[in-house]
Amino acid sequence: MKPGLTEIADRFGSDKGSRKHRYTELYHMLFSPLRERKLTFLEMGLLIGGPEHGNAATRETTDLPSIRMWLEYFPNARIIGLDVSDFSWFEHERFDFLRCDMDERQKIADAAAGFDEFDIILEDASHASHHQQNAFLELFPKLAPEGLYIIEDLRWQPKAYEKPGITKTAALFQGYLNTGSFEHSDPKVAVELNALRTDISGVFVFQAKYQKRRRDQVAVVHKK
């Protein structure tokens, strides 16, 4: 029997496993039917301790725990990693690295331009609201039909990046769940988000460690 995703995460030291967030319990349920497929998987944010924690984007990077986890879990998948820091030293025949500052939407679009579509997109970058929303606006259209778009760590935004007055991403998706539409402090962003509604088949928001009384932590968006 193949090891589950939580077991693999714990072995590689990923904070997605049982030692911290427990995201892998959800992901294993979502991804296990896709495990052997030749899919394209994009993860944004590859190692804790970047500029969102006060360190330079030029920081030295020495490990890729979640990428190692995905490469083992999805033996036939192409794994793409995107980060503001440099991880180009990591070499694997099924891995591609994209370096990108998510503060500007055009940079995200340019970084992903070489890919027609993704089957799974997982956003675990700076956690700044506008970064999360920039990525969703640019990359959700590149998600394959029946694909999954996941945003982690909704309940924490870094002081170094968070812009005052911007709608938090958790509130954005909770509003969608309640009303069927997106409301945003920037009317132009609201219009762009609502233009994506026809391609959304479902939105699910999970609380930290799946405890209902805790704050929202993960959003999962399923594409039609």
Side-chain angles (χ1 to χ4, degrees):
M1 180 181 296
K2 287 189 175 183
L5 186 57
T6 299
E7 179 182 342
I8 299 171
D10 290 348
R11 178 161 25 96
F12 285 119
S14 170
D15 65 0
K16 300 183 193 301
S18 66
R19 298 170 189 171
K20 191 172 183 180
H21 292 304
R22 295 174 50 194
Y23 297 151
T24 50
E25 296 173 24
L26 170 64
Y27 297 163
H28 185 67
M29 288 189 288
L30 293 174
F31 300 159
S32 57
L34 311 175
R35 191 167 184 175
E36 302 298 324
R37 282 182 48 185
K38 292 183 178 180
L39 50 80
T40 304
F41 185 111
L42 169 65
E43 179 171 26
M44 293 170 273
L46 305 182
L47 185 66
I48 193 171
E52 71 277 10
H53 290 285
N55 299 312
T58 54
R59 64 181 171 138
E60 182 181 5
T61 60
T62 58
D63 198 9
L64 275 172
S66 63
I67 293 298
R68 296 181 193 276
M69 173 184 73
W70 298 127
L71 285 167
E72 178 172 334
Y73 187 77
F74 293 112
N76 300 306
R78 184 179 186 186
I79 309 297
I80 297 100
L82 183 151
D83 201 282
V84 69
S85 297
D86 186 14
F87 292 87
S88 60
W89 50 265
F90 183 79
E91 296 183 0
H92 190 282
E93 61 183 1
R94 292 189 287 112
F95 174 72
D96 295 285
F97 173 65
L98 306 174
R99 192 168 186 181
C100 176
D101 184 340
M102 297 173 66
D103 212 45
E104 297 179 25
R105 286 177 54 181
Q106 188 58 50
K107 290 182 178 180
I108 300 171
D110 291 344
F115 301 91
D116 293 330
E117 62 182 20
F118 304 97
D119 297 286
I120 300 170
I121 298 175
L122 195 157
E123 204 278 327
D124 182 26
S126 75
H127 316 313
S129 299
H130 68 293
H131 285 185
Q132 293 169 333
Q133 295 159 27
N134 284 348
F136 186 75
L137 286 166
E138 291 300 327
L139 298 177
F140 184 77
K142 294 178 77 74
L143 191 65
E146 299 188 3
L148 293 167
Y149 193 109
I150 300 168
I151 306 172
E152 291 185 357
D153 298 331
L154 299 175
R155 68 191 181 114
W156 180 80
Q157 288 76 45
K159 294 180 180 179
Y161 278 132
E162 190 70 2
K163 292 183 176 181
I166 190 170
T167 302
K168 299 290 190 288
T169 306
L172 195 68
F173 284 103
Q174 280 292 359
Y176 179 87
L177 287 173
N178 293 332
T179 67
S181 64
F182 292 105
E183 297 182 4
H184 196 278
S185 56
D186 185 335
K188 292 181 180 179
V189 172
V191 169
E192 289 190 81
L193 287 166
N194 282 302
L196 302 177
R197 287 185 301 167
T198 56
D199 289 328
I200 295 175
S201 72
V203 171
F204 306 87
V205 178
F206 299 89
Q207 287 73 39
K209 296 187 177 179
Y210 316 109
Q211 297 173 12
K212 291 184 178 180
R213 294 184 179 181
R214 301 189 71 174
R215 293 172 61 190
D216 295 338
Q217 184 80 326
V218 179
V220 179
V221 185
H222 184 256
K223 193 169 186 178
K224 291 181 181 177

